Amino acid sequence: MTHTLPLPDFAHERVEVTTGCRSGLFIAVALHSSVLGSALGGARLWTYPHWSDALGDALRLSAAMTLKNAAAGLDAGGGKSVIRLEPGQTLDADQRRAAFLDLGDAVELMGGLYRTAEDVGSTTEDMLTVSERTQHVVGLPSTVGGSGEPAGPTSLGVYASLQAVLERVTGSASAEGRRVTISGLGQVGGRLAARLAEQGAQLTVTDINPVRRSFAEEIGATWVEPGTEHLVPGDVFVPAGIGGVLTDEVIDALDVKAVCGPANNPLADRSGADRLAGRGILYAPDFVVNAGGVIYLDLEAKQLGTSDEIMARVAAIGDTVRTILDDAEERGVTPLQAAEELAASRLRAGAAVGAR
């Protein structure tokens, strides 16, 4: 998914790498930080050219989860797990079950310091399989009393962030008539596109899966070929698919006022935040924008509030984005730096409490 991205500095508390005894698949479980509490981060099932690419993705994504959970105000650390498929490899039902049983064993080795959940390539049903081997899993199907699919809350958080961004760059939070390009029509991007279409946004969309073109037609969006979407003039560019999409070349070609989307690690390099700022393009940091799902899963699992209260907390991501943008403007730094410092302040406070 993001194997071309640079690795973060290694500051992880613990990393487990194993070959699944049932599936034979490479599995990595990366615990980046438990300073604020038991880490929470999803399980990704994806194709990687080499096992080291899968490990690198687990390291990057787990570090991002620490920032995400801290900036969201959760008492949860950061972690991630990855199951690697080889290029061209697919799993039948029995092989898939074996893979997630193996993941459950790997998660159990963390002794409760890491909780997993569904992510790219995995489902709530897969998490039910994981639960046969460990209790440290959230987001089980609603049919068995679990919190279910978190894509809805994630999409709500992205929408609230988009409103905050539109307010900043256009003077109004309304999406009506605004030109929005969405790159990726998966569970989150598709929900966001449908919501924006209902509100009268002028949508341009694409996805690496050509089947999604019919969905674009259903909602009245303009379809463009993957790899060309960043060339479309607009108000906001929404990366909602693969990581690393915002390369220097893409940033230099963008003709928008802002970038705001749910894709994890969309910047090919951290310097991309400065490059966007230099071009006058507002960037809403991904780990703030896409935190709705993890907020929902963590609070539901801990039974911290009613459903309405939890969703209100998700919608408040928009206010967090506003705070970060205000802070960045006041201090003359990028929104990425302001967001990282917000997360770092919570981590420092958590470490201080733990040291007492």
Side-chain angles (χ1 to χ4, degrees):
M1 175 67 76
T2 55
H3 61 271
T4 60
L5 295 176
L7 288 172
D9 291 336
F10 189 83
H12 292 68
E13 292 180 14
R14 184 174 174 183
V15 178
E16 292 285 347
V17 176
T18 184
T19 299
C21 63
R22 305 171 187 83
S23 66
L25 296 177
F26 173 90
I27 298 173
V29 180
L31 169 63
H32 181 258
S33 173
S34 61
V35 168
L36 295 177
S38 173
L40 177 58
R44 179 163 296 193
L45 174 68
W46 198 252
T47 300
Y48 297 89
H50 192 267
W51 65 263
S52 60
D53 300 318
L55 175 58
D57 215 13
L59 296 176
R60 279 185 295 271
L61 291 166
S62 58
M65 288 304 302
T66 295
L67 292 174
K68 179 186 299 190
N69 294 340
L74 298 176
D75 293 326
K80 205 78 170 184
S81 47
V82 168
I83 303 174
R84 179 205 175 215
L85 297 179
E86 295 190 8
Q89 182 179 13
T90 58
L91 303 180
D92 62 27
D94 289 340
Q95 292 169 327
R96 189 178 187 97
R97 173 174 168 76
F100 283 96
L101 287 172
D102 287 340
L103 175 64
D105 288 339
V107 170
E108 183 66 16
L109 291 174
M110 291 290 181
L113 290 178
Y114 165 68
R115 295 165 293 153
T116 194
E118 66 86 37
D119 195 76
V120 175
S122 63
T123 68
T124 57
E125 291 296 331
D126 293 325
M127 294 307 104
L128 187 59
T129 301
V130 171
S131 73
E132 295 180 32
R133 304 298 303 174
T134 183
Q135 64 177 336
H136 307 299
V137 54
V138 301
L140 301 184
S142 55
T143 53
V144 297
S147 53
E149 167 64 56
T154 302
S155 179
L156 173 60
V158 177
Y159 174 69
S161 300
L162 185 62
Q163 285 185 301
V165 166
L166 284 172
E167 188 176 275
R168 186 59 57 104
V169 298
T170 72
S172 170
S174 173
E176 184 176 4
R178 297 302 175 192
R179 299 169 299 164
V180 180
T181 298
I182 301 179
S183 178
L185 295 174
Q187 293 276 18
V188 177
R191 283 174 167 81
L192 180 66
R195 182 191 290 262
L196 292 174
E198 289 178 358
Q199 297 185 355
Q202 297 180 32
L203 285 179
T204 300
V205 301
T206 194
D207 193 277
I208 58 174
N209 183 357
V211 173
R212 298 299 282 166
R213 186 166 188 163
S214 60
F215 169 74
E217 294 171 353
E218 289 173 13
I219 64 174
T222 299
W223 176 273
V224 294
E225 289 304 308
T228 66
E229 63 270 27
H230 65 287
L231 302 175
V232 178
D235 293 301
V236 184
F237 180 74
V238 180
I242 62 172
V245 66
L246 295 175
T247 62
D248 287 349
E249 292 75 18
V250 167
I251 291 172
D252 289 346
L254 282 174
D255 185 11
V256 293
K257 299 174 182 176
V259 173
C260 174
N264 285 305
N265 300 327
L267 295 172
D269 191 275
R270 192 180 183 284
S271 63
D274 296 303
R275 201 176 191 95
L276 285 165
R279 295 206 58 228
I281 298 173
L282 187 67
Y283 176 63
D286 57 296
F287 61 85
V288 177
V289 170
N290 63 19
V294 74
I295 291 173
Y296 170 76
L297 289 173
D298 189 54
L299 299 185
E300 280 278 355
K302 295 173 179 175
Q303 298 182 337
L304 296 176
T306 65
S307 178
D308 287 345
E309 289 169 340
I310 292 172
M311 294 308 285
R313 176 81 175 269
V314 170
I317 289 175
D319 293 330
T320 303
V321 170
R322 290 181 180 92
T323 297
I324 287 168
L325 297 182
D326 286 342
D327 181 44
E329 183 176 4
E330 180 179 335
R331 297 195 294 120
V333 300
T334 66
L336 176 60
Q337 182 176 335
E340 289 174 340
E341 290 175 0
L342 172 64
S345 67
R346 282 212 73 225
L347 290 166
R348 285 193 297 270
V353 170
R356 291 174 185 170

